[in-house]
Amino acid sequence: QLMPEKGGVDGAIRQNYHMPDYTYFYTIPELNFELIAMDWNVNQIDRIGGRGTCQDCGAEKLLQKCGSNDALRASLQSVKAASSELMRRRSSLAASRNVAIINHYPDEFIGNVDLRQMYLDGMPAEKRESTNVFHFFGHTHVQECRGGDAKGRCVKFLTGGSGGCCSQRDTPGGFVALSFDAQGSQTDECFAPDSRCTVWTYAASPANTHEKAEICKRTKDDPRCPGYLPADLPVLDSDTTSTSATKSLS
């Protein structure tokens, strides 16, 4: 899912898509804003590619590239270590008044670790009150506030509801829009249940041959595709998942 300039797919069609690395930080000094991108995906190594590295599970080519499951795990573990070190350094500096942390998985998929709280714990105590720290994550395909602060604002945003994946039961869908108020503080301009950015019902439209081919080339989440994997299959937690459990789903 890297941007095309970094080896990602789709070329010019993603010219406005920005993801330069697995873990990184990006600042906008004029807004006193910092984005921190985290990658702890090793905690869900058995779900890479959808169902893991077994045959036709989604990540078998990744396994071929790495050579072994041990090498794959080591690589992902190194990314997690780099991500954690990035968080430690940025939080110790606490250089921006507005901070947005993004990662793929909700807390329960990464050992119940709260990455927002990790940032707060690592920053100087005297800056905590004046710093706005938001946390955005997805994977679960709905829109939901997962936690607020003492001021009653949502600060933990489950925002996996865009794209129409993977079941018509996965509602509400939508997106979150971030803006800045007159005092220069980040705020969620639009989030569920606001109807401007929330969809409560949807249905898959019939796909023409070209559209279906493009969809099915990249996913098994669409019921129109061969090898469709229903969304209500059991969710695996890597803290308890064994190799045998992965094989049982192959």
Side-chain angles (χ1 to χ4, degrees):
Q1 294 183 345
L2 298 180
M3 56 202 288
E5 296 86 343
K6 295 289 186 174
V9 301
D10 291 339
I13 196 174
R14 293 198 180 193
Q15 61 182 333
N16 293 325
Y17 178 75
H18 186 79
M19 186 172 176
D21 211 330
Y22 302 112
T23 181
Y24 62 93
F25 75 96
Y26 181 86
T27 62
I28 305 177
E30 294 82 358
L31 294 174
N32 210 336
F33 172 82
E34 179 168 330
L35 175 73
I36 302 174
M38 300 287 289
D39 187 331
W40 277 29
N41 292 351
V42 67
N43 286 54
Q44 289 292 320
I45 190 171
D46 295 315
R47 295 299 296 272
I48 286 182
R51 311 304 301 179
T53 57
C54 51
Q55 187 62 36
D56 295 325
C57 288
E60 57 272 18
K61 290 185 178 179
L62 182 60
L63 179 61
Q64 294 170 13
K65 181 71 173 180
C66 290
S68 69
N69 277 306
D70 287 342
L72 173 59
R73 182 178 292 277
S75 177
L76 290 172
Q77 189 62 49
S78 70
V79 173
K80 178 182 178 179
S83 194
S84 302
E85 177 62 15
L86 175 68
M87 170 72 84
R88 186 192 68 77
R89 293 186 182 188
R90 299 313 301 172
S91 64
S92 66
L93 290 172
S96 301
R97 188 160 62 90
N98 299 296
V99 178
I101 301 166
I102 61 172
N103 68 292
H104 181 76
Y105 287 108
D107 299 355
E108 62 267 27
F109 288 88
I110 55 172
N112 291 313
V113 174
D114 184 334
L115 296 179
R116 178 180 183 271
Q117 190 61 51
M118 180 185 291
Y119 184 93
L120 293 173
D121 290 344
M123 68 185 300
E126 65 273 14
K127 290 187 175 183
R128 288 176 189 159
E129 185 65 27
S130 60
T131 304
N132 297 304
V133 183
F134 287 177
H135 183 196
F136 302 91
F137 43 91
H139 183 70
T140 301
H141 301 115
V142 296
Q143 303 291 96
E144 180 180 291
C145 180
R146 284 288 186 91
D149 63 7
K151 299 176 182 178
R153 304 175 304 172
C154 184
V155 293
K156 290 178 66 68
F157 301 84
L158 170 57
T159 179
S162 63
C165 175
C166 295
S167 165
Q168 293 178 35
R169 299 188 303 272
D170 292 333
T171 56
F175 60 90
V176 57
L178 187 66
S179 65
F180 294 81
D181 63 22
Q183 289 71 46
S185 296
Q186 65 182 357
T187 181
D188 57 317
E189 179 181 343
C190 195
F191 188 58
D194 192 323
S195 61
R196 296 175 301 162
C197 56
T198 306
V199 177
W200 293 96
T201 61
Y202 67 89
S205 61
N208 59 43
T209 302
H210 175 72
E211 179 189 11
K212 181 177 177 181
E214 286 298 305
I215 291 171
C216 298
K217 183 166 63 176
R218 294 180 171 84
T219 184
K220 293 183 180 179
D221 290 329
D222 194 306
R224 296 169 290 186
C225 301
Y228 167 60
L229 296 172
D232 54 1
L233 284 176
V235 172
L236 303 181
D237 188 327
S238 65
D239 292 338
T240 58
T241 300
S242 65
T243 302
S244 60
T246 303
K247 290 180 178 178
S248 70
L249 291 168
S250 62

